Amino acid sequence: MPQFISPLEYSESFAVRTYEIDHCKRATIPALIRLMQEAAMQNVIQLGVSIWDLEAQNISWVLLRKSMQVFRLPGLGERIRVSTCPTGFDRRFTYRDYKIFGADEELLIQSSSAWLLMDTITRRMAPIPGFILDFEAKMPAPEKCLPRPEFRFPKFEQANFTKAFEVNWHDLDFNLHLNNTLYIQWMLEAMPPDMLQEKRVAGMEVLYRAESRWNDVLYTETQMLDEHTYLHRLMKKGEEKELAMALSRWE
Amino acid sequence: MPQFISPLEYSESFAVRTYEIDHCKRATIPALIRLMQEAAMQNVIQLGVSIWDLEAQNISWVLLRKSMQVFRLPGLGERIRVSTCPTGFDRRFTYRDYKIFGADEELLIQSSSAWLLMDTITRRMAPIPGFILDFEAKMPAPEKCLPRPEFRFPKFEQANFTKAFEVNWHDLDFNLHLNNTLYIQWMLEAMPPDMLQEKRVAGMEVLYRAESRWNDVLYTETQMLDEHTYLHRLMKKGEEKELAMALSRWE
């Protein structure tokens, strides 16, 4: 039986769908990130702190960092349980963990993330309001939480692989920003073809730096650090501005 | 209570997810097409005639035509029931209907489609094998089926809107072809911005003509026929070959 780490935890079961799999009938990384994101959205809707609940106060959640370890990719039709829970605050950020389980509580994926609240008028960081700080008492014990997503990337030095993208209408989320999941999907496109076909992501750290909007022209660049490790960045053309960086490990 | 039109019918309930909605919190057309496609895949898996069941016989399903009427787009969290059923054969094609229902059996979307079986070695049309023809007796009565997707398009004369695409790794389905749903999504991208933001698709006819593979460079062109009606085509660059055509009606 699932052990909940906090009364704030949310858990939902999914069966891996045919549009979520690759040519090996395994769920893709973007599909699994979408399910983690979906569980988190349902969790904040349930807790009354979704982006729609916060609209009236002119604040909104912004994803900053995500760290992810992938132990096994579930297959077509496999029943998985996606669990997510807020895991605390510090002065500036709020944190959230995700776990994906297979049958018999086999841990398939774990991920921690950091978020901030943005004032949607000034576009600057907003203080965490009292009704969110009130969740403090119900947060899981620190030893039940994953390590927070603290990481540094090596300097990006050269693009060994690159891909170009335009932000289209159907790439936007309900907030009219480029979907979080597509940041990762597009960074993973600029990879050696045989890695995409024959290997899989074993772990990833992602740093989100700026939002992107309809009709933006973007490109992703990847630097090979070693045979198993790649450094990625998502750039906005013209401004040569970094929208995101990531490091991926493959096996 | 749902009325099944045939023992071959398959029905599955879904709640509209946060990644399936637009800025008005309504399910998008590509998201709804993915759910119809998913129900059809589960239906053929259940009937033992999925692409994986047919692999050993070197035959595979190819979608040729889809006709769709959209009465209302379901909203975030709304429970919908997606129902699909094979609806018969003729000399060359097999047919399948889809319906999406809201609460109280409100019909939200209906769609009919035509398919053929392709010999995966010769790449030509294959005869329908006996074990599929055996389903004949269980097909729904003709008066329970939607009109078959028979339509002709006006000649494409000029591109008023255009968009370019590259077929990336995550755009492929389990068969390593460009996902059926993205044909439609990409044709809908080449539209006047205010139509995408303020209107919705009320109906669509789609003709699939050729498959597309990894790294293909494509573009879509749209001709405005009148304020509510648009003609689309998806083209392969270089060969100037038509991969698909569609007609969309908006309201």
Side-chain angles (χ1 to χ4, degrees), chain A residues 155-166:
Chain A
K155 191 172 172 323
F156 193 97
E157 285 175 332
Q158 55 166 352
N160 304 118
F161 308 95
T162 182
K163 281 275 178 187
F165 299 89
E166 189 180 332

Side-chain angles (χ1 to χ4, degrees), chain A residues 18-160:
Chain A
T18 55
Y19 66 78
E20 296 176 322
I21 59 170
D22 64 14
H23 64 306
C24 302
K25 289 170 115 172
R26 302 173 308 192
T28 65
I29 291 293
L32 293 165
I33 292 173
R34 261 195 307 271
L35 294 180
M36 288 191 263
Q37 184 74 14
E38 176 63 16
M41 290 292 305
Q42 296 301 334
N43 192 194
V44 291
I45 288 172
Q46 199 181 50
L47 297 174
V49 295
S50 75
I51 65 141
W52 299 289
D53 296 306
L54 301 183
E55 249 169 7
Q57 282 137 92
N58 301 310
I59 50 175
S60 189
W61 292 109
V62 177
L63 175 59
L64 289 181
R65 284 165 172 264
K66 185 171 174 75
S67 171
M68 179 172 71
Q69 292 80 47
V70 182
F71 307 113
R72 182 171 72 76
L73 294 169
L76 173 61
E78 188 170 342
R79 301 253 4 140
I80 56 176
R81 185 170 70 84
V82 181
S83 174
T84 184
C85 190
T87 54
F89 320 102
D90 57 25
R91 267 193 328 126
R92 301 182 301 163
F93 306 135
T94 73
Y95 297 93
R96 167 176 293 282
D97 283 358
Y98 307 82
K99 286 180 182 165
I100 302 186
F101 297 97
D104 302 320
E105 295 298 289
E106 176 195 358
L107 182 61
L108 304 179
I109 295 179
Q110 65 182 25
S111 172
S112 64
S113 61
W115 301 72
L116 62 72
L117 281 162
M118 185 183 68
D119 184 312
T120 53
I121 296 169
T122 64
R123 316 298 294 169
R124 312 191 86 170
M125 201 172 85
I128 302 172
F131 67 92
I132 292 182
L133 291 172
D134 286 347
F135 288 116
E136 179 86 67
K138 294 183 183 168
M139 289 289 169
E143 68 274 16
K144 302 277 191 190
C145 303
L146 298 174
R148 291 188 167 170
E150 279 147 16
F151 45 77
R152 292 176 67 96
F153 295 126
K155 191 172 172 323
F156 193 97
E157 285 175 332
Q158 55 166 352
N160 304 118

